[in-house]
Amino acid sequence: MSVKGFKEMDFYRKQVRSDCVELLSRFQKTDSVRFEVFSNIWREMKFSHIFYGTLNREKRAFSRLILDTAYSFFLPPFSFQIRVGGLYLLYCLYQCQTASPPEQIRLALKDWLDLSKFEKDAVDAQHLDAVYILRQLMFQKAFNFTAMPTVLVYKKKRKVEKSAPCEEFMERATRPQELINIELLEELSNIHELYGNLKSSVSLTSEQADPSFNLVRKDLIPQLRSTVMDFYKWQQRKDGTDEDEDSDEGTSSKQECSKRAELIASIKSKAFGEAAEAPKSRRHRQVEVNQTNYEAGPSHSSGYSRRNKPSLKTRTNENLYISGDLWKEVTTATHISRLTTLDFVRKDPRIAQGKTS
């Protein structure tokens, strides 16, 4: 396939994934794992039309892309219902594809344990629809058992963009509730009591009591049970807040629009109420705007008054401080200055007249 074909397939991948997410989200709202419910949603969305419009040379590549996209929903960490929906989606897409012979579903070696565990869970829960569909795909040899989940090409330097996982399809964390049950709490309580008795017997026999004997927590079992209950309540509150946010989304958007309109109006009022500042190149022409002076009469005072900057000599004399003896040495002329300057001294006219007379 050419580079252009790869770019087109990447574009199709995003669109196909969005359609699959829409289908599975509708299936999730039914709270069912029956194939009949899924098939009704499939027919309502006319999902089989997804293969229409593809060219003959693109049928196989497009079928592989769709099956790989749907296969991602059949794997963990999605919930059991979403994985069942992904299995039904794979079955329907495999049956409706236009490529001949039909394109197989790539099943990587690392995913085989997840598939076996999924089948075992479905059999234990008596979800016969999912078990039948999975074994029907096996019977039709729809799976292609491979070493890697994607096709590897030699010297292929094409970066595949990873799509963001759908958080609403993720399975909720229920392992703490499943792990901490009544039988386990009773067993822990008996072991904890036996451990405390052994420590107390050792401390009585020894002459000096070890401070580590006082490290036994008496409220370990109740605290463990309360922690699990707090986690379960936190999950319930989080689900409730998410539903409230979805219901209040319309009202919050209206409030945001009204606040934004008020903010724009206040900015406009401030902008028109103040005089615009002139650029630096035209500040010598700027005139200060004064409403009271304008009403009383024209103002002859300029808003910009130029201030003469003191010279370097003046600033040096103001900032420089020299003591008395050093100041005399500085002010007296040196030998070098006398050689470089003219020795001109203005004589008194009265002394000059006395000499002539």
Side-chain angles (χ1 to χ4, degrees):
M1 186 181 292
S2 61
V3 178
K4 183 179 180 182
F6 279 125
K7 292 182 179 179
E8 291 179 356
M9 287 300 144
D10 288 339
F11 174 75
Y12 295 152
R13 191 185 305 275
K14 296 178 182 178
Q15 309 303 323
V16 168
R17 183 176 177 81
S18 63
D19 293 340
C20 293
V21 168
E22 177 64 24
L23 175 64
L24 293 176
S25 60
R26 293 188 184 184
F27 180 67
Q28 186 182 26
K29 293 178 182 178
T30 59
D31 292 334
S32 174
V33 292
R34 302 276 77 85
F35 182 73
E36 182 181 1
V37 178
F38 180 85
S39 61
N40 292 333
I41 300 173
W42 173 277
R43 287 191 291 268
E44 288 177 2
M45 296 183 64
K46 298 180 181 180
F47 214 84
S48 59
H49 295 176
I50 196 171
F51 293 101
Y52 294 175
T54 55
L55 301 177
N56 292 330
R57 65 177 182 274
E58 296 178 351
K59 286 183 178 180
R60 185 161 300 279
F62 188 69
S63 299
R64 185 186 302 119
L65 183 145
I66 291 180
L67 292 174
D68 290 345
T69 305
Y71 178 73
S72 62
F73 295 100
F74 181 53
L75 300 175
F78 296 114
S79 62
F80 183 79
Q81 185 188 8
I82 296 299
R83 295 183 66 185
V84 171
L87 175 64
Y88 295 161
L89 183 60
L90 281 173
Y91 177 76
C92 295
L93 290 173
Y94 180 79
Q95 300 296 335
C96 297
Q97 62 177 312
T98 56
S100 181
E103 183 68 22
Q104 290 181 312
I105 304 168
R106 293 180 62 89
L107 179 61
L109 181 63
K110 66 181 183 63
D111 300 331
W112 175 250
L113 294 177
D114 295 331
L115 189 143
S116 302
K117 186 176 183 302
F118 173 82
E119 183 182 9
K120 182 177 181 302
D121 294 341
V123 171
D124 295 341
Q126 293 296 313
H127 296 312
L128 302 181
D129 296 6
V131 177
Y132 173 79
I133 294 297
L134 181 59
R135 294 183 179 178
Q136 191 69 16
L137 288 174
M138 292 285 190
F139 178 76
Q140 295 179 3
K141 298 181 179 179
F143 291 105
N144 182 20
F145 299 95
T146 59
M148 303 297 292
T150 57
V151 181
L152 300 181
V153 180
Y154 180 65
K155 288 186 178 180
K156 182 179 179 182
K157 296 181 180 180
R158 188 173 63 87
K159 186 178 180 181
V160 180
E161 296 182 0
K162 294 184 179 180
S163 56
C166 301
E167 295 182 359
E168 60 272 13
F169 292 167
M170 296 294 181
E171 188 176 5
R172 291 179 56 187
T174 58
R175 295 296 297 170
Q177 293 92 314
E178 296 175 359
L179 181 62
I180 308 300
N181 50 24
I182 298 176
E183 296 178 358
L184 180 65
L185 290 176
E186 291 180 355
E187 188 70 19
L188 285 175
S189 178
N190 295 331
I191 295 173
H192 190 66
E193 185 178 359
L194 179 62
Y195 179 69
N197 294 334
L198 289 174
K199 277 204 144 188
S200 60
S201 62
V202 170
S203 62
L204 291 174
T205 55
S206 60
E207 297 179 356
Q208 294 181 354
D210 193 349
S212 63
F213 295 150
N214 299 326
L215 298 178
V216 178
R217 300 187 61 175
K218 298 180 180 180
D219 57 343
L220 176 62
I221 308 304
Q223 188 176 4
L224 182 62
R225 182 178 179 278
S226 63
T227 303
V228 175
M229 292 300 296
D230 292 341
F231 176 75
Y232 177 74
K233 292 178 181 178
W234 173 79
Q235 279 188 333
Q236 297 294 329
R237 288 198 304 269
K238 186 178 179 182
D239 295 341
T241 52
D242 292 341
E243 293 178 357
D244 294 340
E245 289 178 359
D246 294 337
S247 61
D248 298 340
E249 184 177 358
T251 56
S252 62
S253 61
K254 292 181 180 179
Q255 292 177 359
E256 289 178 359
C257 293
S258 61
K259 289 180 180 179
R260 185 172 180 272
E262 293 176 359
L263 180 61
I264 292 173
S266 62
I267 292 173
K268 285 183 178 180
S269 63
K270 290 180 181 180
F272 288 112
E274 297 177 358
E277 183 180 359
K280 293 182 179 180
S281 60
R282 299 177 59 88
R283 283 185 180 176
H284 64 282
R285 302 181 184 179
Q286 185 179 359
V287 179
E288 184 179 1
V289 178
N290 194 342
Q291 188 70 20
T292 57
N293 296 339
Y294 183 78
E295 293 177 356
S299 176
H300 300 285
S301 63
S302 174
Y304 178 82
S305 61
R306 184 174 180 179
R307 181 181 176 184
N308 294 328
K309 190 176 181 181
S311 63
L312 178 60
K313 183 178 180 181
T314 307
R315 283 181 281 145
T316 306
N317 293 333
E318 290 178 357
N319 298 329
L320 186 63
Y321 175 76
I322 303 175
S323 60
D325 297 336
L326 188 59
W327 177 254
K328 291 179 181 179
E329 294 179 3
V330 171
T331 54
T332 56
T334 60
H335 294 286
I336 298 175
S337 64
R338 288 176 180 175
L339 292 174
T340 55
T341 57
L342 294 176
D343 190 7
F344 175 77
V345 181
R346 188 175 180 181
K347 297 180 180 180
D348 195 355
R350 292 176 296 179
I351 298 172
Q353 288 179 4
K355 287 181 179 182
T356 55
S357 62

